Amino acid sequence: MVGGAVITNRPRWRRRSAFYRTRPVPVPGPQDSFLVLRGVKTLAIRMEEHNRNALAIARWLEARPEVSEVRLRASNRIRSTLWPCVR
């Protein structure tokens, strides 16, 4: 599902967006809208879990003798709070 808005005070953009407003397009139903809203509300929680899982995998890999190096891109907050030894 793709959605958006065009807000402008430029006549050219207003005319261009009017073209698309008058075309028949599929409109998301109530269930689709509910699922998008729920997904946005829980996005931060899901990203924290993804980060925790990535850190767990990186720790596991680092403990393996056959793995020579583990690199993990992480924000400064994640590095300082969850795993201080991340390079």
Side-chain angles (χ1 to χ4, degrees):
M1 185 168 127
V2 177
V6 176
I7 301 167
T8 183
N9 61 359
R10 295 183 180 185
R12 181 172 176 232
W13 280 91
R14 194 174 301 133
R15 284 192 306 274
R16 290 179 75 180
S17 66
F19 172 79
Y20 293 104
R21 279 196 319 260
T22 59
R23 300 292 173 251
V25 294
V27 177
Q31 182 68 20
D32 300 321
S33 300
F34 165 76
L35 292 173
V36 168
L37 183 60
R38 184 179 68 175
V40 169
K41 286 181 178 179
T42 61
L43 181 62
I45 297 167
R46 289 183 283 127
M47 291 301 105
E48 287 294 327
E49 287 302 312
H50 287 312
N51 287 333
R52 281 195 187 95
N53 288 337
L55 290 172
I57 292 169
R59 286 178 181 152
W60 180 80
L61 286 170
E62 199 169 56
R64 309 285 300 176
E66 61 269 18
V67 177
S68 61
E69 183 180 8
V70 176
R71 291 184 181 205
L72 179 66
R73 285 188 65 136
S75 70
N76 289 335
R77 184 179 60 81
I78 292 171
R79 272 188 233 149
S80 63
T81 59
L82 298 177
W83 203 23
C85 61
V86 171
R87 289 173 250 163

